Amino acid sequence: MIKKFTYFVMFCLLLLLGIMLWNMKNFSSKQISIPPVNIININNQDAINHLSEAITYKTISNNDNENIDAITFLSFHKFLRRTYPLTFNELSERIFSSYSILLKWEGSNEYNKNPILLMAHMDVVPAEEFEKWTEDPFSGIVKDDFIWGRGTLDDKSSLISILESVEYLISTGFKPNRDIYISIGHDEENSGINGNAVIAESLKSEGVYFDMVLDEGSIISNGIVKGVDKPLAIIGIAEKGYLTLELISNLNSGHSSMPGNETTIGKLSSAINKLEKFQMSPRITKPLKHFFSYIGPELSLKDQFILSNTTLLSSSIIHELIKEPATASMLRTTTAPTMISSGLKSNVLPSEAKAVINFRILQGDNIDRVKEHVKSIINDSDIKINVLDPESYSNPSSVSNINSPSFNIIHKTIKELYQDVLVAPGLVVATTDSRYYESISKNIYRFMPITLKSEELSMIHGYNEKISIPTYLNMIQFYIQLIKNFHVS
């Protein structure tokens, strides 16, 4: 009997190994092989000057959507109209909530195709602690083959590159065969609730439906994924949800010489510690599976074997990826304490302490589930839990199609301009304005043709934000080629 059982176990193991090897055999490359396109001859110096000047406008999004520097934003509008006269003459323009711009490039529509939408935003986050910047963050100075300043990466480089490409194409007599919309939001860094949310709702009421929406998001990077020795261009096919909670701890105040067994700050600290220690469960979702299916065939045989069998080896994969913040964020809803405040004097026990916790919600989780998780983990009636900025929270996005013609066109365009690059779909761990268009497009992609090393990612929202001139000029080429590729599709 034991011998028969042993044979049965051996048979099952061999069968399982055979299945895994079969999966690996069918794990083929999904990279498009395509010849490079010729670089378009544009006026590089003018393009450099235009982005440089765009940076000098302090179009800052503050936490308060009502506190907008109207003069600066409207001056930026005038700059765009002055700099791109062909574009603003050829395309129709609509203004939403006083500052967001929607342009429509009417196509010939001879083939009755749905329009596409290209997105960017004019607002930037504040640039604090000027002394930590090598150059003035709003100087737009051109130095050492870089354009310096807040917005060079997020997101005025995309905005200016799109307009440069349209201006160039119009100058050549090009006319698209479908309508192309360009949305330029003014409050993306502060939820987009008065910008693209309003634009999307208006277009929905008008019956507009997009074959594709392309917004900021993932980039071309080096050194992000272990074992990938080529630059990696990730096309975001989904984004995480967003929720910010405030924890408020309340106890009696008193003199610091006679503290009780529990204090306000101590209880709040304990709550934060619990949330960091007992985080929501990691798992491999559809965007990550698609990511593995694209990069896996380009890796070593060992990695191919593992990634071609994600269902069977999910625990081992999760165990490895959870070690690094960049990959851990793709596996679970993240918990990030970002602000804390309490106390007025060193010898007084405060009666109240507050902390702000930001969550980026993974597909499969949702806002209600996060709130229940927080409540059960803290399990303290003295800790009050409030939702902050309810107008800005969102559930995770749906997952866009990796087999759509639009995805293939983006893939093709990347390969035409960046030959030695691997392309893969993936998850955007931040949020973008594109989420507002889910009801009028099922193909929403998030990709910026910006090339950065892993150590340069901190410049986004950080100090010394800058973009290399070759990277910026390649962005213009990308949008020119993308528009042309959608024209022939």
Side-chain angles (χ1 to χ4, degrees), residues 175-233:
K175 186 176 181 65
N177 61 8
R178 70 170 85 205
D179 293 346
I180 298 177
Y181 287 77
I182 301 168
S183 73
I184 307 172
H186 77 278
D187 62 343
E188 191 277 342
E189 299 293 0
N190 196 22
S191 81
I193 195 71
N194 293 321
N196 273 293
V198 178
I199 295 174
E201 194 59 36
S202 177
L203 292 176
K204 181 180 179 180
S205 69
E206 295 165 15
V208 175
Y209 186 87
F210 293 112
D211 269 353
M212 181 209 67
V213 173
L214 181 63
D215 196 6
E216 63 175 334
S218 301
I219 60 168
I220 304 171
S221 61
N222 265 315
I224 297 294
V225 179
K226 185 179 178 181
V228 178
D229 56 5
K230 290 183 177 181
L232 179 61

Side-chain angles (χ1 to χ4, degrees), residues 94-292:
R94 296 165 67 185
I95 304 294
F96 292 82
S97 302
S98 302
Y99 308 107
S100 283
I101 300 173
L102 179 68
L103 300 175
K104 179 184 178 183
W105 193 358
E106 196 164 317
S108 60
N109 292 316
E110 53 192 303
Y111 300 109
N112 196 30
K113 294 183 177 181
N114 289 324
I116 62 171
L117 172 65
L118 303 178
M119 300 181 64
H121 60 88
M122 69 182 77
D123 61 314
V124 299
V125 296
E128 299 173 342
E129 299 179 285
F130 276 32
E131 69 276 6
K132 293 185 179 181
W133 288 71
T134 302
E135 302 294 339
D136 183 328
F138 294 102
S139 66
I141 190 171
V142 179
K143 177 184 173 184
D144 300 331
D145 213 27
F146 283 87
I147 305 170
W148 293 67
R150 180 61 86 217
T152 50
L153 297 175
D154 184 15
D155 177 46
K156 284 181 178 175
S157 53
S158 290
L159 166 57
I160 299 302
S161 295
I162 291 170
L163 295 180
E164 289 284 335
S165 68
V166 172
E167 189 80 1
Y168 166 79
L169 288 168
I170 293 173
S171 73
T172 66
F174 177 87
K175 186 176 181 65
N177 61 8
R178 70 170 85 205
D179 293 346
I180 298 177
Y181 287 77
I182 301 168
S183 73
I184 307 172
H186 77 278
D187 62 343
E188 191 277 342
E189 299 293 0
N190 196 22
S191 81
I193 195 71
N194 293 321
N196 273 293
V198 178
I199 295 174
E201 194 59 36
S202 177
L203 292 176
K204 181 180 179 180
S205 69
E206 295 165 15
V208 175
Y209 186 87
F210 293 112
D211 269 353
M212 181 209 67
V213 173
L214 181 63
D215 196 6
E216 63 175 334
S218 301
I219 60 168
I220 304 171
S221 61
N222 265 315
I224 297 294
V225 179
K226 185 179 178 181
V228 178
D229 56 5
K230 290 183 177 181
L232 179 61
I234 300 177
I235 303 170
I237 56 172
E239 64 182 57
K240 296 177 87 171
Y242 184 97
L243 176 67
T244 300
L245 297 179
E246 180 185 52
L247 309 183
I248 303 177
S249 172
N250 286 291
L251 282 178
N252 292 330
S253 63
H255 199 282
S256 63
S257 63
M258 296 179 291
N261 293 329
E262 292 182 318
T263 63
T264 304
I265 292 176
K267 287 178 75 69
L268 182 64
S269 300
S270 175
I272 295 171
N273 181 259
K274 287 178 182 178
L275 291 177
E276 289 189 317
K277 186 176 181 180
F278 302 104
Q279 299 210 26
M280 298 187 76
S281 300
R283 62 188 177 277
I284 296 175
T285 57
K286 184 186 285 188
L288 195 54
K289 286 182 179 179
H290 287 325
F291 178 71
F292 290 156

Side-chain angles (χ1 to χ4, degrees), residues 32 34-39 409-419 481-482 485:
I32 296 173
I34 195 164
V37 293
N38 294 325
I39 298 300
I409 290 172
I410 299 170
H411 185 168
K412 174 187 175 185
T413 306
I414 294 170
K415 286 289 193 176
E416 285 175 327
L417 289 163
Y418 308 92
Q419 286 281 291
Q481 188 63 23
L482 183 74
N485 283 340

